[in-house]
Amino acid sequence: MPPIKETSTVDVLIVGAGPTGLFTALCLTRLGIDVRVIEQRIFGEAAGQADGIQSRTVEMWDSLGTGDKLRQFGKIVYQMATYDPNEQKTGIKAASKVLNVPLASARYQYELTLQAKHIEEIIRDALSEVNVHVEQPCVLSKLESLVEADYPIKASVVQCVHFDTEKLAASKFPSYAREKAASDKYLVDYVEIIRARYLIGCDGARSWVRQQCGIVMEGTIPGLTYGVIDFTPVTNFPTCHAKSLIQSPLAGMLGYIPKPNGTARLYTLLRDTVLIEALDKGSEEERARKLSQIVSNGFAPYDMRVEDITWCTTYKVTQRVASRYSHNGCIFIAGDACHTHSANAGQGANVSMADAYNLSWKLAHVIRGWASKSILDTYELERRPCSLELIEFDKDIQDILSPDSYDPEDYAKLWHRQLLFVTGLGLQYKSSLIIPEHFQDIMAGVTIGRRFPPAEIIRYLDWVPCNTLDIIGYTMKFKLLVFAGDTTQPSVMTLRADFIEELGKIPRFREIVEISVILGVKKEASATGYPHNKGSILTLFSVFIDDGINSEQQPGLVHKAFKISPDVGAAVLVRPDGHVAMVFPPSIDQVHLLNNYLSTL
Amino acid sequence: MPPIKETSTVDVLIVGAGPTGLFTALCLTRLGIDVRVIEQRIFGEAAGQADGIQSRTVEMWDSLGTGDKLRQFGKIVYQMATYDPNEQKTGIKAASKVLNVPLASARYQYELTLQAKHIEEIIRDALSEVNVHVEQPCVLSKLESLVEADYPIKASVVQCVHFDTEKLAASKFPSYAREKAASDKYLVDYVEIIRARYLIGCDGARSWVRQQCGIVMEGTIPGLTYGVIDFTPVTNFPTCHAKSLIQSPLAGMLGYIPKPNGTARLYTLLRDTVLIEALDKGSEEERARKLSQIVSNGFAPYDMRVEDITWCTTYKVTQRVASRYSHNGCIFIAGDACHTHSANAGQGANVSMADAYNLSWKLAHVIRGWASKSILDTYELERRPCSLELIEFDKDIQDILSPDSYDPEDYAKLWHRQLLFVTGLGLQYKSSLIIPEHFQDIMAGVTIGRRFPPAEIIRYLDWVPCNTLDIIGYTMKFKLLVFAGDTTQPSVMTLRADFIEELGKIPRFREIVEISVILGVKKEASATGYPHNKGSILTLFSVFIDDGINSEQQPGLVHKAFKISPDVGAAVLVRPDGHVAMVFPPSIDQVHLLNNYLSTL
């Protein structure tokens, strides 16, 4: 073993720089947490091929300041089309064309597809801007968690092996198993001891971190086998810009997904075991030729020429979920390291990014001393059921895809029934951080536990239109949105002013909560304003009006959509990750509810 | 005179790199025209202080790809407030608060304010990206236009004096009169002969180019005298983020304009000739002190502390318009070189940028050989009346501002009555390039001669939402928008298909016209599509649907807003600068109208 050259400390050490690890790093740095990211791949070595970004995930990217880049590099997919066998069973015919995300609660009615490398590049660029750089190639060779008196409080002592890139590249160790290379002195550049407060294993389905912690993967539901091919279509297929689900009498079930720059991905469900074996064992060239042939047949009577193939493989995923998501309270796993899914639901990296988004703010709160360590338990409590649900959903899809009864219309219907789930918009957490439904009725249009929905309001001070999602963002603070109702009624105004004054007396309120007040009045009628005197917890920037710029628009539309009474109003506490923690009436006698919540964090 | 070191040629030579010259350069480069820009100032020497960007101007910036930068650096001003004297005449009281641009035809209901240097920086950056750099400091010392057989066809032979920057900086020649420095050999670095096809004088109110051409400024309407001060307000004034018009009993008429980063500009109308003289003759410090005092008094009973003054002056503009806007058919003047206005209407650089936007595409068409030189005459024909109109408008404002009868409500009313004009949205051209109203009635919601209005539609191929203004953009081509009506009726579909086939037979149609077809149908009903076969002038990218992404929205709303019959439809020819050239029915027997138009360009 080469001599140990460095001993260093860090708040959070992230293992793996795929989409999960990078996204975790971005979340944490946005919250001001010190991170390091290590990756066993040499820079440029390809990793995953996940490429679909669902509607809720786009919102998350927005909140981290990277949404525009996503739209810039991505293909925006608004349409979903289905194709049935034609009458003569000689080819396919158009069956339906619908909106991809027909949900009123969606900010974006589309999903995005990107090249996997662009997903990583965008986050790497954003990290570089705050001087966080992925350290690669390197691996952990030893991982211990122990209690210490000084920094770290409870530490992971980690032995981190930095490789000599050139020698490693020449060594033929596969990119997914570089741990083995750690014992080859010749390849090692230097070894470093890292003391981290927390460690997050984002090191994929073969997770080394998971294995070190003795966490096992549970479940043995075998997925179906798919062929997948990335290519440039030359075609007269009419919906080559739509997500298209095709049941071909000649080639079976095909899923066509448009990608940026005129390219596409095609999934083909493989049932013929002889064919599967031939594809698996054949050369890359043979595989490409055979899959191209299936594609061409499948689109008849349309021409579909497969050109410029950039990726071509077959795969079968056994769906599994980790028995635990954490170890000793200081090691966590996220992404493929704790759940593997089939591609049927198009979830790819979306579930993994949601892991990161959920875990990061909790870690940040604990590290900053704003919350006790017990909130870290809610990571598994909130995220693990999502993976189990995803597997259930996938089973339903597999049933529908079974050869005898497959019907693309059924698939589309199942898809639409599960849209809230598939898009991430219906994700509803249940844990000690969510206070269930006893005041749900004063804001019936917003679901406790789900992410707070988007709504257009205007800022009081300058009438600039704002979206609630942008107001919430992704910061350390909880957001308290006070829908004040009709404050042109003096009695309502007095009640709200008293309420807000009382909030200011809650210990730590100013420190960990950011308040916004939304007046349910006409913008021209708001001249008298709102109490934002010196010493008040309100500033001019935290007052909004539930009205539009368009003069014909009625005021109070958001109150109405959220089913809030203009007399009663509603206060809603939103977690840093955008999920609704609790709803309560904005009156003095209910302030203790918020106080209780904050004091038990 | 130092030796002449270079002789070079260029399509268009632009003299002056203020907002007008830079904007002209950007327009021309976007159209693929070769330009050079020379400027007498040394880099960094301050020029104008124009800072307000009106609604239509923001649209122009969008079309050149620089609108986002404008929004990023600018302060977005949605509100306009007025203040009256209070009853006791001891101070002011709020009178009204309204939307700044309450126009349904506006894409943006705001105006933007920027620091003048940012306006220039944004354009300079955009020019750098296409490798156009302002050459400075340098001036023209000789200007001749003559006919030549070879390049240039009719040329401006220009003697361009490049200065030694350091020596010039030390020389004390004022930045606005560097022509005089041209005869000082010591200061000159080298002299260059430039042969340009066209030359545009954007060299400000003292325009040297204008003088060389013997063009005189006409009109002697003296403006009022204003004090103006750029500062950071420390205040409890309730609308410090709104444009605020204040009639103070203590300080007279004040105009408050919020600017980026918490700064503001304040105009104060000066009537006391003794005070004016004192301000003019006093030191900069005294001037600042006196104007600050006026401001503080004027806002009583609100506190208004004037801090961090960055600019402070008094000025009076005599409003004048040039007798001609061009010389010998190859030299043009634009911006302050051909019109000077008071600041009352807040037009600043807006009118000048509109000059550039109007002139550039015409020059580009002539240079590319797409149009005869005679279209260049329409520059003066279209733009000069705007300046005259602006002076008329200003007279009305001055009448309202007269000391005896001033009423801020009257001012606000005049402002709103003239909103279409002030925002640039009502600008209506009349010339041989505009075919007047004989088919206006089939598209009564769109005015021939005005810029084509914004409207949200979706793209046929992928349902991505698009705005008509983005479809029109600013390119060399005329845009033909065919509102096809209800093409689910087979008869309508046939008529339109025939019409489009016939269009393809017009000589040069494909070369200089870009067609878009907008179907007035429900998006789900558009499955059969539209003829875009090989050889057709239509591509999949040029077909749109008059429907929204929102499933509850009715289709055909844009047809309805523009008052187009679903049976008759309407074809509208839009010029490269977005103005409506002609409207005609989309049927075979009217195709000759378009043919005539294009053949007489």
Side-chain angles (χ1 to χ4, degrees):
Chain A
M1 185 62 93
I4 289 164
K5 281 174 63 181
E6 294 186 32
T7 299
S8 42
T9 60
V10 69
D11 282 338
V12 181
L13 177 62
I14 297 165
V15 183
T20 312
L22 291 172
F23 199 75
T24 307
L26 188 59
C27 288
L28 286 168
T29 54
R30 288 288 187 262
L31 300 172
I33 300 300
D34 181 30
V35 303
R36 285 178 62 182
V37 188
I38 64 167
E39 166 59 51
Q40 63 184 356
R41 283 178 287 157
I42 297 168
F43 181 75
E45 280 181 343
Q49 297 287 342
D51 59 351
I53 303 288
Q54 300 290 349
S55 185
R56 170 59 186 156
T57 312
V58 180
E59 294 176 1
M60 292 186 211
W61 281 64
D62 277 344
S63 74
L64 300 171
T66 47
D68 283 338
K69 286 275 178 206
L70 209 54
R71 282 178 282 269
Q72 183 187 331
F73 286 104
K75 168 84 180 172
I76 295 178
V77 184
Y78 270 103
Q79 289 179 344
M80 179 158 104
T82 60
Y83 289 81
D84 286 346
N86 62 17
E87 281 71 21
Q88 309 81 30
K89 309 283 177 198
T90 57
I92 59 173
K93 61 164 190 188
S96 74
K97 193 156 81 172
V98 295
L99 196 60
N100 206 342
V101 183
L103 292 173
S105 62
R107 182 168 191 182
Y108 303 113
Q109 288 95 350
Y110 54 78
E111 64 179 291
L112 278 164
T113 62
L114 275 89
Q115 293 187 8
K117 69 167 183 175
H118 279 151
I119 295 179
E120 296 190 6
E121 269 173 24
I122 295 169
I123 309 180
R124 277 177 184 254
D125 286 349
L127 287 171
S128 303
E129 280 172 22
V130 290
N131 218 16
V132 172
H133 304 279
V134 175
E135 298 165 57
Q136 64 187 131
C138 70
V139 300
L140 300 189
S141 62
K142 199 174 163 193
L143 171 60
E144 283 172 30
S145 59
L146 47 101
V147 181
E148 283 197 13
D150 59 348
Y151 185 99
I153 307 159
K154 184 168 190 178
S156 308
V157 176
V158 155
Q159 199 157 300
C160 178
V161 180
H162 296 258
F163 292 109
D164 179 306
T165 305
E166 281 182 23
K167 289 178 185 166
L168 186 68
S171 75
K172 311 283 184 200
F173 278 97
S175 63
Y176 52 81
R178 292 272 157 75
E179 306 89 41
K180 289 167 191 153
S183 56
D184 185 336
K185 279 184 202 174
Y186 172 75
L187 299 176
V188 174
D189 189 10
Y190 67 99
V191 176
E192 179 187 8
I193 299 292
I194 300 176
R195 291 177 171 235
R197 287 185 199 267
Y198 295 95
L199 181 143
I200 311 179
C202 305
D203 49 347
R206 293 182 176 89
S207 174
W208 180 87
V209 173
R210 184 186 67 222
Q211 288 165 27
Q212 296 299 305
C213 298
I215 300 173
V216 294
M217 294 299 276
E218 297 176 344
T220 52
I221 300 165
L224 302 168
T225 302
Y226 287 88
V228 58
I229 184 165
D230 280 355
F231 66 107
T232 300
V234 178
T235 183
N236 60 357
F237 181 58
T239 61
C240 59
H241 295 271
K243 177 152 93 180
S244 300
L245 300 174
I246 298 157
Q247 172 62 347
S248 160
L250 309 178
M253 150 76 189
L254 302 169
Y256 172 95
I257 294 162
K259 294 187 64 173
N261 304 321
T263 63
R265 169 169 295 182
L266 199 122
Y267 291 98
T268 161
L269 181 54
L270 300 171
R271 300 193 172 283
D272 179 342
T273 48
V274 178
L275 172 64
I276 293 170
E277 201 170 329
L279 285 170
D280 282 348
K281 290 186 176 162
S283 69
E284 212 162 304
E285 226 164 80
E286 274 176 274
R287 189 156 56 232
R289 198 176 42 75
K290 279 187 179 150
L291 283 176
S292 301
Q293 192 54 50
I294 293 173
V295 173
S296 292
N297 290 344
F299 281 79
Y302 303 105
D303 294 331
M304 175 59 77
R305 274 208 338 265
V306 173
E307 299 205 342
D308 295 329
I309 296 173
T310 54
W311 189 50
C312 175
T313 192
T314 62
Y315 74 96
K316 178 179 191 163
V317 175
T318 298
Q319 311 213 68
R320 290 197 171 103
V321 176
S323 56
R324 291 177 288 127
Y325 277 27
S326 67
H327 182 67
N328 276 1
C330 60
I331 301 176
F332 297 85
I333 50 176
D336 288 356
C338 51
H339 42 71
T340 55
H341 300 288
S342 91
N344 293 333
Q347 292 302 295
N350 292 274
V351 186
S352 304
M353 292 181 195
D355 286 346
Y357 207 70
N358 183 293
L359 176 58
S360 295
W361 74 268
K362 294 169 183 172
L363 274 180
H365 269 237
V366 173
I367 290 169
R368 189 91 64 100
W370 287 12
S372 69
K373 288 194 162 193
S374 64
I375 76 162
L376 298 177
D377 298 338
T378 65
Y379 168 59
E380 179 180 315
L381 283 170
E382 294 182 341
R383 293 301 307 161
R384 197 164 178 274
C386 299
S387 287
L388 296 172
E389 196 182 349
L390 184 53
I391 289 173
E392 282 307 305
F393 176 59
D394 202 79
K395 262 198 284 190
D396 292 347
I397 292 186
Q398 294 206 18
D399 289 347
I400 281 180
L401 293 184
S402 75
D404 307 327
S405 62
Y406 174 73
D407 180 348
E409 289 289 333
D410 282 352
Y411 184 89
K413 271 180 206 152
L414 175 67
W415 185 269
H416 276 91
R417 205 172 65 229
Q418 298 282 0
L419 246 180
L420 275 173
F421 174 67
V422 166
T423 56
L425 296 171
L427 178 61
Q428 187 172 3
Y429 289 143
K430 282 172 186 148
S431 77
S432 58
L433 291 175
I434 305 289
I435 309 301
E437 298 78 7
H438 58 300
F439 282 114
Q440 174 74 76
D441 54 321
I442 66 167
M443 199 178 195
V446 171
T447 308
I448 297 170
R450 282 196 187 157
R451 77 97 168 77
F452 190 85
E456 290 286 336
I457 52 183
I458 64 175
R459 195 157 58 184
Y460 170 78
L461 69 89
D462 56 9
W463 293 358
V464 168
C466 302
N467 194 290
T468 47
L469 293 189
D470 298 327
I471 294 167
I472 292 165
Y474 189 74
T475 71
M476 282 293 283
K477 295 200 176 189
F478 281 78
K479 312 298 181 309
L480 183 70
L481 306 183
V482 180
F483 286 84
D486 180 7
T487 49
T488 57
Q489 299 178 44
S491 61
V492 172
M493 181 61 126
T494 306
L495 284 171
R496 298 303 168 262
D498 292 347
F499 171 69
I500 288 166
E501 200 185 326
E502 192 70 15
L503 287 175
K505 298 177 189 165
I506 297 178
R508 302 208 302 154
F509 182 91
R510 285 159 202 261
E511 190 188 14
I512 69 175
V513 181
E514 194 175 298
I515 184 172
S516 299
V517 174
I518 300 106
L519 313 178
V521 302
K522 205 159 174 52
K523 61 180 176 300
E524 290 83 0
S526 66
T528 49
Y530 210 81
H532 50 79
N533 309 328
K534 247 183 208 166
S536 164
I537 53 173
L538 277 189
T539 71
L540 258 181
F541 287 89
S542 53
V543 182
F544 298 85
I545 306 174
D546 179 4
D547 195 0
I549 278 304
N550 191 322
S551 299
E552 292 109 65
Q553 187 181 318
Q554 289 297 310
L557 286 184
V558 178
H559 279 69
K560 208 169 157 186
F562 291 169
K563 300 201 168 81
I564 300 166
S565 146
D567 300 321
V568 179
V572 54
L573 185 70
V574 180
R575 311 195 314 187
D577 62 0
H579 283 258
V580 176
M582 67 189 293
V583 171
F584 60 104
S587 61
I588 284 192
D589 55 330
Q590 303 297 347
V591 168
H592 67 280
L593 293 174
L594 182 61
N595 194 3
N596 288 350
Y597 185 95
L598 297 179
S599 62
T600 55
L601 277 180
Chain B
M1 185 60 97
I4 290 164
K5 281 174 64 179
E6 292 185 33
T7 299
S8 43
T9 60
V10 68
D11 282 339
V12 180
L13 178 61
I14 296 165
V15 183
T20 312
L22 292 171
F23 199 75
T24 306
L26 188 59
C27 288
L28 286 167
T29 54
R30 288 287 186 263
L31 300 171
I33 299 301
D34 182 27
V35 303
R36 284 177 64 182
V37 188
I38 64 166
E39 166 59 51
Q40 62 184 357
R41 283 179 287 157
I42 296 169
F43 181 75
E45 280 180 340
Q49 297 287 344
D51 59 352
I53 303 286
Q54 301 290 349
S55 185
R56 170 59 185 157
T57 311
V58 180
E59 294 176 2
M60 292 185 206
W61 281 64
D62 277 346
S63 74
L64 300 171
T66 47
D68 284 338
K69 285 277 179 205
L70 209 53
R71 282 178 283 270
Q72 184 186 330
F73 287 103
K75 168 83 180 172
I76 296 178
V77 184
Y78 270 105
Q79 289 179 345
M80 179 158 103
T82 60
Y83 290 81
D84 286 347
N86 62 17
E87 280 72 22
Q88 310 80 31
K89 309 284 177 196
T90 57
I92 59 172
K93 62 166 190 187
S96 74
K97 194 155 82 173
V98 295
L99 196 60
N100 205 342
V101 184
L103 291 173
S105 62
R107 183 168 190 182
Y108 303 112
Q109 288 95 349
Y110 55 77
E111 65 179 290
L112 278 164
T113 62
L114 276 89
Q115 293 185 7
K117 68 167 185 177
H118 279 152
I119 295 180
E120 296 190 7
E121 270 173 24
I122 296 170
I123 309 179
R124 276 177 185 256
D125 285 352
L127 287 171
S128 303
E129 280 172 21
V130 289
N131 218 16
V132 173
H133 304 281
V134 175
E135 298 167 57
Q136 63 187 129
C138 67
V139 300
L140 301 190
S141 62
K142 198 174 163 193
L143 173 59
E144 283 172 28
S145 60
L146 47 101
V147 182
E148 284 198 12
D150 60 348
Y151 185 97
I153 307 160
K154 183 168 191 176
S156 309
V157 175
V158 156
Q159 200 157 299
C160 177
V161 180
H162 296 258
F163 292 110
D164 180 305
T165 305
E166 282 182 25
K167 289 178 185 166
L168 185 67
S171 75
K172 311 283 185 199
F173 278 98
S175 63
Y176 53 80
R178 292 272 156 76
E179 305 88 41
K180 289 168 191 153
S183 56
D184 184 336
K185 279 184 200 174
Y186 172 74
L187 300 176
V188 174
D189 188 12
Y190 67 99
V191 176
E192 180 186 7
I193 299 293
I194 301 176
R195 294 177 170 233
R197 286 186 200 268
Y198 295 96
L199 182 143
I200 311 180
C202 306
D203 48 349
R206 294 182 176 88
S207 175
W208 180 87
V209 172
R210 184 186 66 221
Q211 288 165 27
Q212 296 300 305
C213 297
I215 299 174
V216 294
M217 295 300 276
E218 296 175 344
T220 50
I221 300 166
L224 301 168
T225 302
Y226 287 88
V228 57
I229 184 164
D230 280 358
F231 66 108
T232 300
V234 178
T235 184
N236 61 357
F237 181 59
T239 61
C240 60
H241 295 272
K243 177 151 94 180
S244 301
L245 301 174
I246 298 157
Q247 172 61 347
S248 160
L250 308 179
M253 151 76 188
L254 303 168
Y256 173 96
I257 295 162
K259 295 187 64 173
N261 304 321
T263 63
R265 169 169 296 183
L266 198 121
Y267 290 98
T268 161
L269 181 53
L270 301 171
R271 299 194 174 282
D272 180 341
T273 47
V274 179
L275 173 65
I276 293 171
E277 200 170 330
L279 286 169
D280 281 349
K281 290 187 177 162
S283 71
E284 211 162 304
E285 228 163 78
E286 273 175 274
R287 191 157 54 232
R289 198 176 41 74
K290 280 188 180 151
L291 284 176
S292 300
Q293 193 54 52
I294 294 174
V295 172
S296 291
N297 290 343
F299 281 78
Y302 303 106
D303 295 329
M304 175 59 76
R305 274 209 337 266
V306 173
E307 299 203 344
D308 295 330
I309 296 173
T310 55
W311 189 50
C312 176
T313 192
T314 62
Y315 73 96
K316 178 179 192 163
V317 175
T318 298
Q319 309 211 70
R320 290 198 170 103
V321 177
S323 56
R324 291 178 286 128
Y325 276 29
S326 68
H327 182 68
N328 276 1
C330 61
I331 301 176
F332 297 85
I333 50 177
D336 289 354
C338 52
H339 44 69
T340 56
H341 300 289
S342 91
N344 293 333
Q347 292 302 295
N350 292 275
V351 186
S352 304
M353 293 180 193
D355 286 345
Y357 208 68
N358 183 294
L359 177 59
S360 296
W361 73 268
K362 294 170 183 173
L363 274 181
H365 269 239
V366 174
I367 290 169
R368 188 89 67 97
W370 287 12
S372 69
K373 288 194 162 193
S374 64
I375 75 162
L376 298 178
D377 298 337
T378 65
Y379 168 58
E380 180 181 315
L381 283 170
E382 293 181 341
R383 293 301 306 161
R384 198 164 177 272
C386 300
S387 287
L388 296 173
E389 196 182 350
L390 184 53
I391 289 174
E392 282 306 305
F393 176 58
D394 201 80
K395 262 198 282 188
D396 293 346
I397 292 186
Q398 294 206 18
D399 290 345
I400 281 180
L401 294 184
S402 75
D404 308 327
S405 62
Y406 174 73
D407 180 347
E409 289 288 333
D410 281 351
Y411 184 89
K413 271 180 206 153
L414 175 68
W415 185 270
H416 275 90
R417 205 172 65 226
Q418 297 283 1
L419 246 179
L420 275 172
F421 175 67
V422 167
T423 56
L425 297 170
L427 178 61
Q428 187 171 3
Y429 289 142
K430 282 173 187 149
S431 76
S432 58
L433 290 175
I434 305 289
I435 309 301
E437 297 80 7
H438 59 300
F439 281 115
Q440 175 72 77
D441 57 318
I442 65 168
M443 199 179 195
V446 171
T447 308
I448 296 170
R450 282 196 186 156
R451 76 98 168 77
F452 191 84
E456 290 287 334
I457 52 183
I458 64 175
R459 196 157 57 184
Y460 170 80
L461 71 88
D462 55 10
W463 293 358
V464 168
C466 302
N467 193 292
T468 47
L469 293 189
D470 298 327
I471 295 166
I472 292 166
Y474 189 74
T475 71
M476 281 292 283
K477 295 200 178 189
F478 281 77
K479 313 297 181 309
L480 183 71
L481 306 183
V482 181
F483 287 84
D486 179 8
T487 49
T488 57
Q489 299 177 45
S491 62
V492 172
M493 181 60 127
T494 306
L495 284 171
R496 298 303 169 263
D498 293 346
F499 170 69
I500 288 165
E501 201 185 325
E502 193 69 16
L503 287 175
K505 298 176 188 163
I506 297 179
R508 303 207 302 154
F509 182 92
R510 284 159 203 261
E511 190 187 14
I512 68 175
V513 182
E514 195 175 297
I515 185 173
S516 297
V517 175
I518 301 105
L519 312 177
V521 302
K522 206 161 173 49
K523 60 181 177 300
E524 291 83 0
S526 65
T528 48
Y530 211 80
H532 49 80
N533 309 328
K534 247 185 208 164
S536 163
I537 53 173
L538 277 188
T539 72
L540 257 181
F541 287 90
S542 53
V543 183
F544 298 85
I545 306 174
D546 179 5
D547 195 1
I549 278 305
N550 190 324
S551 299
E552 292 109 64
Q553 186 182 317
Q554 290 296 311
L557 286 185
V558 178
H559 279 69
K560 209 169 154 185
F562 292 168
K563 300 199 170 81
I564 300 166
S565 146
D567 300 321
V568 179
V572 53
L573 185 69
V574 180
R575 311 194 314 186
D577 61 1
H579 283 258
V580 176
M582 66 189 294
V583 171
F584 61 103
S587 62
I588 284 193
D589 54 333
Q590 304 297 347
V591 168
H592 67 280
L593 293 174
L594 182 62
N595 193 2
N596 287 350
Y597 185 96
L598 297 178
S599 61
T600 54
L601 278 179

